[in-house]
Amino acid sequence: MLSAGKEEVLTDSYGRTVRSLRMSVTDRCNLDCIYCHNEGHIGHNKEMSIDTIVNIVDVASQFGVDRLKFSGGEPLLRKDLEDVLARLPGMKDVSLTTNATLLRNRAFSLKDSGLKRVNISLDTLDPDKYRSITNCKKGTFDKVLDGIHEAVDAGLTPIKINMVLLKDLNDNEIEDMMDFTSSYGGDVILQLIELMDFRELPQYRIDSDEIESSLLDASSEIRVRELHKRKKYIINGAEVEFVRPVDNTEFCANCNRLRVTADGKLKPCLLVSDNLVDVSHASKEELPDLFRLAVSRRVPYCRS
Ligand code: SAM
């Protein structure tokens, strides 16, 4: 265990201190997005128990990690997420990223259990295009919209709409999406995401510099986030963030995130798979050293 009263943080050999945990809680998903990176790991349907999740988060928070994001797969396929949330230590930020198809009936119970906010994946406002990107059943798009409304009502805000930009598929919808998000006042923010091409889909790769310069032209103010030095543009009062992970040394140099796979492995980097640290059967006493080991394996994927 960490010694009482001593504040140890997890800093890697590149001077990057881990402040956030991105934890996949299941590999199962009810959609099949054409570009999905599956958080860089398939755990063959093994899922951590509530106790394992809580122990990992507890130990991380003793190391000063104060932000947690649940991901997947689709995290809302886990029916015990509220039970997990209710047992977590106090943290600055507890969020999850979801496709929102199952959010309508869960938003209030998630909020009541301690979830602070949600990121919702929505790449298009066109139901037919939505079906072709996500391979979903008819009617799913409406469920997502209902989920967004419910999340706003439940106060899971600010909600970020995650829109992965796909050339000639949805890159003409940025303005419509800005109108959609700003129609919720400050409760919904647009987060544009550069495609990480895990599936050999070069036809969908966008020109990020071009997009960035059009955001720059349209913006009245730019803010820079600590995580990954991501830029936020203020455009007509709306916030638009552009996440550019591809070939971006600044992104990696400012990465403060450690990942946990659904089957209970600490994963130092989305793009690296041969350096995982298995904590699925670790006791709480063993966890601190395993965290230190994982952090010692953190290397910026992209560096100059
Ligand atoms: N099912 C949940 C969801 O839809 O948000 C969580 C899992 S999903 C893998 C998490 C986020 O990763 C989503 O916002 C998705 O858009 C993003 N994502 C998935 N594949 C990506 C890729 N190849 N490039 C960039 N972002 C990607």
Side-chain angles (χ1 to χ4, degrees):
M1 291 298 289
L2 300 175
S3 350
K6 198 170 146 211
E7 173 103 359
E8 180 186 345
V9 291
L10 295 164
T11 303
D12 66 26
S13 46
Y14 296 82
R16 303 175 304 169
T17 298
V18 174
R19 294 288 179 204
S20 67
L21 215 57
R22 185 175 178 107
M23 177 182 274
S24 182
V25 288
T26 181
D27 288 328
R28 292 174 288 137
C29 196
N30 54 350
L31 299 184
D32 182 16
C33 298
I34 51 174
Y35 56 75
C36 187
H37 57 33
N38 304 102
E39 300 290 353
H41 182 78
I42 299 287
H44 306 291
N45 288 338
K46 285 193 206 129
E47 290 176 8
M48 290 179 280
S49 67
I50 299 183
D51 283 343
T52 303
I53 294 174
V54 173
N55 283 346
I56 292 171
V57 178
D58 265 344
V59 170
S61 88
Q62 289 172 37
F63 279 117
V65 172
D66 55 10
R67 294 176 188 277
L68 169 67
K69 173 161 281 130
F70 289 120
S71 184
E74 173 45 48
L76 296 187
L77 285 174
R78 274 195 72 149
K79 297 196 172 79
D80 57 2
L81 213 53
E82 284 85 348
D83 302 328
V84 173
L85 286 161
R87 286 186 46 195
L88 295 179
M91 299 182 97
K92 218 187 241 173
D93 191 29
V94 180
S95 64
L96 69 81
T97 171
T98 173
N99 59 37
T101 54
L102 303 168
L103 191 54
R104 186 175 45 183
N105 300 321
R106 302 271 299 269
F108 279 89
S109 62
L110 290 164
K111 178 75 181 177
D112 290 346
S113 308
L115 189 71
K116 298 211 164 113
R117 58 184 187 87
V118 285
N119 285 14
I120 294 177
S121 303
L122 180 64
D123 299 325
T124 175
L125 293 169
D126 173 337
D128 292 331
K129 235 190 256 183
Y130 185 80
R131 281 189 75 191
S132 64
I133 294 173
T134 64
N135 290 301
C136 66
K137 291 192 210 126
K138 234 180 178 161
T140 307
F141 179 78
D142 291 334
K143 289 187 183 157
V144 175
L145 295 187
D146 289 348
I148 295 172
H149 296 318
E150 198 70 3
V152 171
D153 284 350
L156 288 169
T157 52
I159 293 166
K160 286 190 184 170
I161 299 295
N162 283 350
M163 177 187 188
V164 176
L165 294 177
L166 304 162
K167 189 175 161 58
D168 297 333
L169 197 53
N170 69 353
D171 57 346
N172 60 344
E173 284 194 65
I174 297 177
E175 266 183 46
D176 291 345
M177 200 61 102
M178 272 166 37
D179 291 343
F180 172 76
T181 52
S182 56
S183 71
Y184 286 94
D187 283 338
V188 183
I189 293 169
L190 179 59
Q191 181 159 262
L192 305 172
I193 304 177
E194 187 179 42
L195 174 71
M196 303 177 82
D197 195 4
F198 276 61
R199 297 199 181 194
E200 298 294 321
L201 298 165
Q203 70 274 29
Y204 294 135
R205 287 185 204 158
I206 46 141
D207 182 339
S208 295
D209 288 338
E210 199 180 298
I211 305 249
E212 186 110 49
S213 72
S214 62
L215 293 173
L216 189 64
D217 288 348
S219 65
S220 55
E221 188 190 335
I222 300 168
R223 298 179 194 147
V224 180
R225 286 184 60 192
E226 194 186 322
L227 175 66
H228 300 142
K229 287 274 178 270
R230 298 176 182 193
K231 289 200 181 77
K232 263 188 191 177
Y233 297 89
I234 311 300
I235 300 174
N236 298 327
E239 259 182 53
V240 183
E241 194 170 320
F242 189 23
V243 184
R244 293 185 65 174
V246 180
D247 296 333
N248 186 343
T249 49
E250 197 180 40
F251 186 94
C252 294
N254 291 284
C255 179
N256 62 22
R257 173 185 276 177
L258 187 66
R259 293 169 172 271
V260 186
T261 65
D263 57 348
K265 295 182 174 118
L266 302 179
K267 182 166 166 54
C269 175
L270 170 67
L271 296 166
V272 182
S273 299
D274 62 358
N275 61 355
L276 277 56
V277 176
D278 193 344
V279 293
S280 57
H281 297 102
S283 68
K284 210 164 173 186
E285 289 65 36
E286 290 166 330
L287 277 171
D289 272 346
L290 295 170
F291 265 93
R292 292 181 188 103
L293 176 63
V295 170
S296 76
R297 293 180 180 175
R298 268 168 55 89
V299 174
Y301 186 78
C302 205
R303 54 190 191 280
S304 39

